[in-house]
Amino acid sequence: MKNKKKINKITFIGMGLINSSLARDLKGKNFYNFSTVYSRRKSTLRKIKKLNLVDKIESDLEKSVIDADLIVVGIPVAAYEETFMSISHNLKPGAVITDVGSVKKEVIKIVRNFIPKNVSFIPGHPIAGTENSGPESGFKGLFKNGWCVLTPYKETNNKEVKLVKKLWETVGMKVDIMDEHHHDEVLAITSHIPHIIAYSIVGTVTNLESSIKKEVIKYAASGFRDFTRIAASDPVMWRDIMLLNKLAILKMLKLFKDDLNDLESAIKKGDSKFLLDLFSRTRKVRKDIIK
Ligand code: NAP
């Protein structure tokens, strides 16, 4: 497939927050001629139909990929094995498949067994999202100015990386190419550990005696409130991330716990220099990010 040409058929497998936002952004961008979506539940397909995001709704997974030039998989990573097993025999020669899963090493390990020689799989991860799920929670502009990481691996046809790069650039993302191990470690510290901290602190509040719990909720200012937003993220998706990016998460969690111990002992010892140095350094990180 020539990358400069408009693609004929795009198939979305799964359409929750991420794929529905992508479908919204691609509509009217002259990127494809025809779009199809498969989703598992009839109720989700009904919602997608109402939202008018694609040309065709398909309730048969295997049929949905027939003749597709580009397939974008946007489902929980734990469902990949079954899904790729079902579609692998119906893929058009020359088709390109990409995904949006939040972990990449395990994805490649699962998927590479199901990719025929004449088909390309380009693993991807658009780093954008909210705590909401389902096609109704997607919105136009979710990806604008964000980063999308692609993690091609040994068997990847590099020519086709360009097409997936173009897909994400069309919806306003900047694209980085990265090794899958590196991706998983970077995301462990920037996204997965912050979620662990949020789940853990909100969990601690739920374990408090009910009188204190009520007060915490009543007086929750931005600090605790921000944690509750993160801890409201999709439980299935985050269970998958924790289990499928275990090694990178445990490595980063160890570093975090060591630093937390240092902070604890500084508080115990009344080490004001340590506290001021740390809080000044972290304030600078925030300023650099905003810049
Ligand atoms: P979502 O809003 O919860 O939508 C999930 C989609 O997957 C729905 O179409 C759902 O279909 C389908 N699905 C759920 N369980 C399935 C199963 N067992 N088998 C087949 N299909 C299943 O999810 P999302 O937030 O868009 O996330 C999708 C992917 O994007 C995940 O792999 C996630 O890691 C990645 N991601 C998420 C974010 C984020 O912030 N949310 C950011 C970047 C990447 P039915 O409703 O029909 O069951």
Side-chain angles (χ1 to χ4, degrees):
M1 189 195 318
K2 293 249 168 38
N3 293 326
K4 281 188 190 128
K5 267 203 322 207
K6 185 164 151 184
I7 68 156
N8 192 38
K9 176 176 168 181
I10 186 170
T11 295
F12 297 96
I13 295 184
M15 188 161 276
L17 170 73
I18 299 297
N19 263 357
S20 77
S21 299
L22 181 60
R24 281 172 172 89
D25 275 347
L26 285 179
K27 240 186 139 180
K29 284 265 164 53
N30 212 24
F31 186 80
Y32 58 76
N33 287 323
F34 186 76
S35 58
T36 298
V37 64
Y38 161 81
S39 198
R40 187 181 51 157
R41 288 181 294 174
K42 290 220 159 53
S43 55
T44 304
L45 284 174
R46 273 198 299 274
K47 285 182 198 164
I48 299 167
K49 193 169 182 192
K50 249 190 179 165
L51 291 164
N52 193 24
L53 298 175
V54 285
D55 300 311
K56 189 166 183 243
I57 309 279
E58 179 61 78
S59 57
D60 183 323
L61 172 61
E62 292 176 33
K63 271 195 199 158
S64 73
V65 297
I66 292 176
D67 288 332
D69 302 294
L70 178 63
I71 298 160
V72 186
V73 178
I75 60 174
V77 176
Y80 274 31
E81 184 161 4
E82 205 183 322
T83 300
F84 277 87
M85 202 187 293
S86 303
I87 63 171
S88 63
H89 302 292
N90 273 2
L91 299 169
K92 173 181 170 177
V96 174
I97 313 182
T98 188
D99 78 312
V100 299
S102 308
V103 300
K104 297 277 55 109
K105 206 171 117 193
E106 273 301 309
V107 158
I108 292 171
K109 209 164 122 192
I110 299 166
V111 172
R112 73 188 331 160
N113 303 320
F114 300 109
I115 301 297
K117 283 220 155 45
N118 52 11
V119 168
S120 301
F121 175 56
I122 321 288
H125 179 200
I127 302 176
T130 72
E131 68 279 20
N132 301 317
S133 312
E136 66 283 17
S137 62
F139 56 92
K140 260 187 163 177
L142 171 66
F143 306 108
K144 200 160 193 268
N145 298 327
W147 282 97
C148 178
V149 179
L150 304 181
T151 63
Y153 56 104
K154 217 171 89 195
E155 297 101 275
T156 302
N157 178 347
N158 278 315
K159 221 176 74 197
E160 307 300 5
V161 172
K162 281 192 195 147
L163 175 71
V164 180
K165 192 165 177 265
K166 185 177 153 199
L167 166 78
W168 292 110
E169 286 172 349
T170 301
V171 298
M173 293 201 111
K174 296 164 278 183
V175 176
D176 249 352
I177 308 287
M178 210 181 268
D179 160 65
E180 67 271 20
H181 303 268
H182 191 62
H183 166 277
D184 286 0
E185 289 201 346
V186 170
L187 268 292
I189 193 65
T190 54
S191 167
H192 308 167
I193 301 291
H195 275 80
I196 289 178
I197 296 167
Y199 281 124
S200 172
I201 194 165
V202 177
T204 301
V205 168
T206 64
N207 292 337
L208 289 174
E209 275 175 46
S210 65
S211 60
I212 305 180
K213 196 172 14 180
K214 262 192 218 147
E215 303 270 272
V216 173
I217 289 165
K218 183 172 166 192
Y219 297 120
S222 59
F224 185 67
R225 237 178 222 280
D226 287 350
F227 282 125
T228 59
R229 184 187 60 73
I230 299 173
S233 300
D234 189 72
V236 172
M237 175 177 138
W238 281 96
R239 176 207 58 192
D240 288 358
I241 290 173
M242 297 303 154
L243 298 179
L244 296 171
N245 196 23
K246 188 160 126 183
L247 290 182
I249 288 176
L250 292 178
K251 180 175 167 186
M252 295 301 163
L253 200 53
K254 161 127 189 22
L255 297 178
F256 170 69
K257 279 160 74 182
D258 290 347
D259 288 342
L260 191 61
N261 284 338
D262 290 347
L263 181 55
E264 185 185 20
S265 67
I267 295 170
K268 257 188 214 157
K269 286 188 288 193
D271 186 344
S272 101
K273 183 176 178 314
F274 180 98
L275 299 177
L276 267 182
D277 283 354
L278 175 65
F279 300 164
S280 307
R281 256 196 299 135
T282 56
R283 186 177 226 191
K284 186 171 174 312
V285 171
R286 171 72 185 172
K287 283 189 179 146
D288 290 348
I289 287 175
I290 300 296
K291 236 196 285 173

